[in-house]
Amino acid sequence: MSDPRQRVPGTDRVLTHPEVAAAADRLGHRLVKQAVHTAQQRARDGEITVSAVIAETLAALPDSAASGRPVLNATGVLLHTNLGRAPLSEAAVDALRRAAGTTDVELDLSTGRRGPRGAAALAALLAAVPRAEAAHVVNNGAAALSLAATALAQGREIVLARGEMVEIGDGFRLPELLTATGARLREIGTTNRVRLDDYRAAVGPDTGFVLKVHPSNFVITGFTSAVPVAALRGIGAPVVVDIGSGLLHPHPVLPAEPDATSALADGADLVLASGDKLLGGPQAGLLLGRAEIVQQLRHHPLARAMRVDKLTLAALEATLRGPRAPIEQALRRDQQSLLRRAERLAESLSAAGVPASAQPSEATVGGGGAPGVALPSAAVVLPARFAELLRRADPAVLACLAHDRCLLDLAALPPEDDDGLRRAVLGAA
Ligand SMILES: *Cc1c(COP(=O)(O)O)cnc(C)c1O
């Protein structure tokens, strides 16, 4: 009897199979070759038949050369940092594709000369916030802060209330970032209270700027007082406001969340924000404010190290000019329609033998803003064991465990995702 291992098809033979060759064109030779080797090994080990090597190779191939997998966000946290914060709009995704090749990002096609980088994205930002005299974009909110601190306060003081010394998440502490730039922190007030007199007493010739930071992921209640931006007008130093979330205008659903236009109207000289929180765009740090200050930041040597790529500029412009971003749609979903969706899903799952029900729930904006705000939502309720099964399902789903049950909160998901959610649950059951 011949050794079956000798009949395992050779690598070159598998690689010339038309479907395998097409996959290699799409995913890269190395990745496909690895899948071939794995399938061959399984055949040698007797786990699959020799004739199944090609089918096994094809089945094991990923959808994409990148390993990141889409995840349905059923957590009820609209901006989930571990899921990449804001999902992009179709318009922004389309813009990314178009920007991926060679583009006019730094070229004026009408003259053939070099043009200002990202001019269209900056124009879109200024059109969205006419209060700002000038705008600049860097890699993220943290970069915006460190650029401002370096250019405006290196070797000098940043005046900051103790209650605004925020840790954003994953150990990112804003005060540490600020002092790493060579600026000194001048802490004023206490954890719960700060007064205008504290600011007045702290500002002097050594002040680089006064910083106001939005405590975007916690609330302090009780005996508290803070000083609004408007009260700091004429304090004797530039006022920089880190609003965090990236709202450009007051939001009807989140009335307490700071926004760029209001901060500028209140007298802020510079406003800093993230692009991938409530603005709903790509990761970016937005700087909006007085022309003279923005110019100073833009021309600082460090600005080059924080420069955003053409993909970010394209996605940002499309987010600003395009239709409502997914996060904006999520904020505007009403509980009745969410509940109807949850009921429909629960019915269809029950009909397929999965113990499911629907109930009202509460969603939150997440680490990106509006701490303490509960958004009326609805969820499909499943036995707790589903939480883990769904993480490994296809499509992967991140659910929320509460009171020993698995909740699929629909607030962050558009109705188009209900079908994927249903498939994932049925596949996991
Ligand atoms: C999120 C946040 C930041 C950091 O922004 P990134 O874009 O994550 O770098 C800074 N300040 C505040 C108030 C924030 O909420």
Side-chain angles (χ1 to χ4, degrees):
M1 221 171 98
S2 66
D3 184 344
R5 283 170 298 185
Q6 286 173 356
R7 288 185 279 121
V8 173
T11 308
D12 288 343
R13 226 190 90 207
V14 180
L15 284 171
T16 51
H17 182 276
E19 272 184 75
V20 178
D25 284 345
R26 196 164 51 83
L27 299 170
H29 192 74
R30 188 186 308 213
L31 212 155
V32 173
K33 202 164 156 184
Q34 231 161 39
V36 175
H37 287 163
T38 309
Q40 287 170 324
Q41 191 56 48
R42 293 195 63 195
R44 282 187 210 106
D45 294 346
E47 291 174 24
I48 58 171
T49 63
V50 164
S51 59
V53 166
I54 286 171
E56 172 67 17
T57 298
L58 290 170
L61 288 174
D63 294 336
S64 157
S67 61
R69 285 182 61 198
V71 178
L72 294 179
N73 176 10
T75 59
V77 180
L78 301 190
L79 292 168
H80 201 296
T81 302
N82 304 150
L83 298 180
R85 289 193 183 152
L88 293 179
S89 66
E90 282 302 322
V93 173
D94 185 48
L96 285 176
R97 281 202 152 275
R98 292 157 61 93
T102 41
T103 74
D104 63 350
V105 65
E106 256 180 68
L107 181 73
D108 183 339
L109 284 171
S110 61
T111 62
R113 292 213 188 87
R114 178 177 192 152
R117 185 181 173 86
L122 294 178
L125 199 48
L126 290 174
V129 188
R131 277 258 173 204
E133 293 172 8
H136 184 57
V137 181
V138 292
N139 278 324
N140 59 13
L145 259 174
S146 58
L147 181 59
T150 309
L152 306 175
Q154 197 165 53
R156 303 173 71 202
E157 287 185 350
I158 297 171
V159 175
L160 176 63
R162 279 211 170 80
E164 298 176 15
M165 303 188 76
V166 176
E167 175 168 323
I168 301 299
D170 196 27
F172 165 41
R173 294 180 167 168
L174 215 129
E176 289 174 1
L177 176 90
L178 294 172
T179 51
T181 67
R184 292 191 305 279
L185 274 192
R186 176 81 177 260
E187 300 170 38
I188 56 168
T190 59
T191 308
N192 54 330
R193 289 175 74 84
V194 65
R195 300 184 190 85
L196 183 55
D197 279 346
D198 295 320
Y199 283 96
R200 287 209 182 105
V203 170
D206 214 22
T207 306
F209 59 87
V210 171
L211 178 62
K212 287 278 301 168
V213 177
H214 174 47
S216 55
N217 54 7
F218 68 98
V219 269
I220 297 185
T221 57
F223 186 54
T224 64
S225 73
V227 176
V229 176
L232 296 173
R233 230 184 250 274
I235 192 86
V239 175
V240 177
V241 181
D242 176 8
I243 61 168
S245 79
L247 280 187
L248 301 182
H249 303 276
H251 198 287
V253 179
L254 306 170
E257 188 66 13
D259 68 278
T261 296
S262 304
L264 291 166
D266 285 347
D269 298 287
L270 184 69
V271 172
L272 314 177
S274 298
D276 56 353
K277 294 180 180 173
L278 287 169
L279 181 67
Q283 178 185 303
L286 316 179
L287 302 106
L288 294 150
R290 288 206 354 243
E292 170 199 325
I293 292 184
V294 174
Q295 285 308 330
Q296 195 182 337
L297 300 187
R298 180 177 305 167
H299 293 127
H300 190 280
L302 199 57
R304 181 63 173 78
M306 300 173 173
R307 190 175 90 162
V308 287
D309 74 341
K310 58 186 179 176
L311 302 177
T312 301
L313 291 166
L316 180 62
E317 184 189 355
T319 301
L320 290 162
R321 288 199 204 279
R324 272 185 188 158
I327 178 68
E328 185 55 30
Q329 294 177 14
L331 284 172
R332 289 170 188 266
R333 278 188 191 111
D334 76 285
Q335 192 175 28
Q336 273 316 309
S337 54
L338 288 169
L339 200 52
R340 276 196 300 276
R341 283 172 57 194
E343 281 161 359
R344 262 201 306 275
L345 270 167
E347 267 167 38
S348 119
L349 291 171
S350 302
V354 178
S357 60
Q359 69 171 39
S361 64
E362 279 183 351
T364 58
V365 169
V373 175
L375 304 162
S377 178
V380 176
V381 188
L382 300 170
R385 66 189 160 86
F386 272 90
E388 191 188 333
L389 296 171
L390 284 168
R391 262 191 285 118
R392 302 161 201 258
D394 187 21
V397 178
L398 193 63
C400 164
L401 267 178
H403 306 297
D404 231 14
R405 289 175 314 163
C406 169
L407 299 189
L408 302 181
D409 194 296
L410 299 183
L413 296 168
E416 303 87 87
D417 280 339
D418 288 358
D419 209 41
L421 210 51
R422 191 173 161 277
R423 262 189 297 124
V425 176
L426 291 179

